[in-house]
Amino acid sequence: MPNPTAAMLVIGDEILSGRTLDSNTNHLAKELTAHGIDLCEVRVVSDDARAIVAAVRALSDSFEHVFTSGGIGPTHDDITADCIAEAFGQPIDIRDDARALLAAHYERQGSELNEARLRMARIPEGATLIDNPVSVAPGFILGNVHVMAGVPSVFKAMVATVMPTLTGGAPLLSETLRVDRGEGDIAGPLGQLAQDFPDLSIGSYPFQKDGKYGSNIVIRGQDEAQISQAIARLATEMRV
């Protein structure tokens, strides 16, 4: 059986402007790969409601799991929760369990649970909360969409909460072979290797060092024996 599929939607003008470097995609990709879920697509959209709603609907229809990051904080441009609600045709309002979490948190801090902070308790109807052990304000799951914070430490904590609840397939394994030849010299053997091992993914990642060309050949798959066989054959052919 093929592995479950997933997509990620990264939300925020700060990502598109280059002001903030997106590390969440890399973290999620590693976690999903280890869990046997194939991350097939990543989209980045601005803080525009129509763009977010359209992307959520498209990805939700195309993949078994969707993960979002960004836009669930207390400021006016945090519109993700409202967009998820619209995408699924659900009402959204302050929810008692989310409010209670925030109230207890800010009371411990000696801070006021003001109107802005209460925005983080607005949850679409029918959603399940995602625990946030870092800053308490919850994410949520609606349908097949997992809505999480953009702050990397919080995103990672939410991913750790969600991952054990997901059913994965066989983890993707990989081995790498460094070949000190240019891609033009190795393209033929690599193409033949790919034909002979159709269940494996074979990628070539070139580099240049000290004026010489080379490539890291990465072979991925779910069958460790096949990967080892392909690596051994390639090493022999390339005299590595």
Side-chain angles (χ1 to χ4, degrees):
M1 292 291 291
N3 284 353
T5 60
M8 183 172 183
L9 179 62
V10 182
I11 299 165
D13 293 341
E14 70 276 11
I15 301 295
L16 289 168
S17 70
R19 179 185 176 278
T20 299
L21 181 66
D22 170 37
S23 63
N24 292 337
T25 299
N26 179 262
H27 177 74
L28 180 66
K30 290 178 179 178
E31 292 297 311
L32 291 175
T33 296
H35 201 68
I37 297 175
D38 296 339
L39 181 61
C40 301
E41 184 173 339
V42 177
R43 294 192 192 187
V44 184
V45 295
S46 65
D47 295 313
D48 176 82
R50 286 182 298 180
I52 296 170
V53 170
V56 168
R57 287 174 174 165
L59 295 176
S60 177
D61 288 343
S62 300
F63 302 99
E64 292 171 68
H65 302 288
V66 178
F67 301 84
T68 76
S69 71
I72 58 172
T75 59
H76 72 283
D77 57 343
D78 289 312
I79 59 174
T80 298
D82 293 272
C83 293
I84 300 295
E86 181 178 343
F88 281 91
Q90 294 292 336
I92 182 170
D93 205 345
I94 294 172
R95 215 166 82 174
D96 289 342
D97 51 356
R99 180 205 288 265
L101 290 171
L102 292 170
H105 172 69
Y106 286 112
E107 183 177 0
R108 287 192 299 269
Q109 288 192 335
S111 302
E112 177 191 1
L113 180 57
N114 57 25
E115 184 177 348
R117 289 169 175 147
L118 268 176
R119 281 177 54 82
M120 295 185 291
R122 299 180 71 253
I123 306 292
E125 188 173 303
T128 302
L129 297 186
I130 297 176
D131 183 42
N132 172 7
V134 176
S135 57
V136 175
F140 61 86
I141 303 168
L142 187 60
N144 63 341
V145 180
H146 304 75
V147 180
M148 298 183 281
V151 177
S153 60
V154 181
F155 180 83
K156 289 179 180 180
M158 289 184 174
V159 169
T161 296
V162 167
M163 206 58 63
T165 70
L166 303 179
T167 300
L172 189 66
L173 308 173
S174 69
E175 286 193 36
T176 302
L177 181 71
R178 172 175 167 147
V179 177
D180 291 319
R181 299 187 193 182
E183 284 192 303
D185 295 327
I186 64 175
L190 279 186
Q192 186 60 54
L193 192 70
Q195 288 184 30
D196 294 343
F197 292 88
D199 294 332
L200 301 180
S201 170
I202 301 173
S204 175
Y205 304 94
F207 61 83
Q208 183 180 15
K209 185 177 182 180
D210 300 328
K212 297 181 180 179
Y213 292 94
S215 187
N216 288 309
I217 311 303
V218 181
I219 300 182
R220 303 179 179 89
Q222 296 171 342
D223 187 323
E224 187 174 6
Q226 274 199 5
I227 294 174
S228 297
Q229 184 181 352
I231 282 284
R233 173 175 142 181
L234 185 62
T236 299
E237 292 179 351
M238 297 291 108
R239 296 185 175 87
V240 175

